[in-house]
Structure formats: C-alpha cells, structure tokens
Amino acid sequence: MLARAADVLHRAFPHATLPLAASADLVEQVLRLVHGLLPAWSIRLTGEATGPDGHWHCSLRENRDSDEEELIGLGSGSTVGLALVAALLRVALDRAAR
C-alpha cells in the first residue's frame, strides 16, 4: 500500500527523495515521508486507540505558529498510519492540481 502511495507522491513531488525503509513500520515510514516532503510542517493526530479499529484523524499544516492558515491535508483511518497516509495524499493531490 505504501509503495503505491509513494508512486503518487513521487508524481506530486518529482524532485524529492522518498525515504522508505523496508524494515520500518508504516507509521515510522509515513513520518519520514512527511518530514522529507514537507519539512517544518506540523502534524496533528487525534483519535481513539480502543479496539482494533480506532478512529484516527490527521491534519497537516504548513505552519504551526498560526491557526489562521488554511488546513492543507486532512485524513482519517482505522490506524494512525492510514490517517497519516490519507492526509499526505491529500497534500499531494492539492499540489498536483496546481
């Protein structure tokens, strides 16, 4: 799943190196991608970790100093990793549309 997402991300960020590590878990890999593709952006995760299918929400913002800027990436998923990937893909779609 992450390899397919990386393909889409590479199209939106053609000059970026996608730092994927085969031995790392999904959350660690996605955090590396966010850091590599969107340095200095803030990540906000909220959710419930109860049960096997939590309800996680992720937002990515370009600047954490102000609440006035537009939310750039929003994602939801049953795990933290899926919510992170969804938010990152939203950023990629927004960038590709420009």
Side-chain angles (χ1 to χ4, degrees):
M1 186 241 351
L2 192 55
R4 286 186 285 172
D7 184 51
V8 172
L9 293 170
H10 184 67
R11 290 183 209 162
F13 302 93
H15 302 294
T17 301
L18 302 179
L20 294 177
S23 62
D25 71 4
L26 176 64
V27 174
E28 184 177 336
Q29 288 186 34
V30 179
L31 288 173
R32 286 181 187 188
L33 284 172
V34 171
H35 177 71
L37 298 173
L38 307 169
W41 281 41
S42 64
I43 300 170
R44 181 170 185 218
L45 288 166
T46 58
E48 297 180 20
T50 57
D53 294 320
H55 301 284
W56 292 96
H57 306 281
C58 177
S59 63
L60 300 173
R61 289 181 182 256
E62 191 166 1
N63 181 355
R64 76 174 99 173
D65 294 334
S66 171
D67 287 337
E68 298 298 320
E69 82 274 1
E70 180 182 345
L71 269 168
I72 302 296
L74 295 174
S76 297
S78 60
T79 66
V80 171
L82 291 175
L84 280 164
V85 168
L88 188 55
L89 287 173
R90 298 260 185 209
V91 172
L93 289 172
D94 183 51
R95 292 234 171 158
R98 290 182 188 185

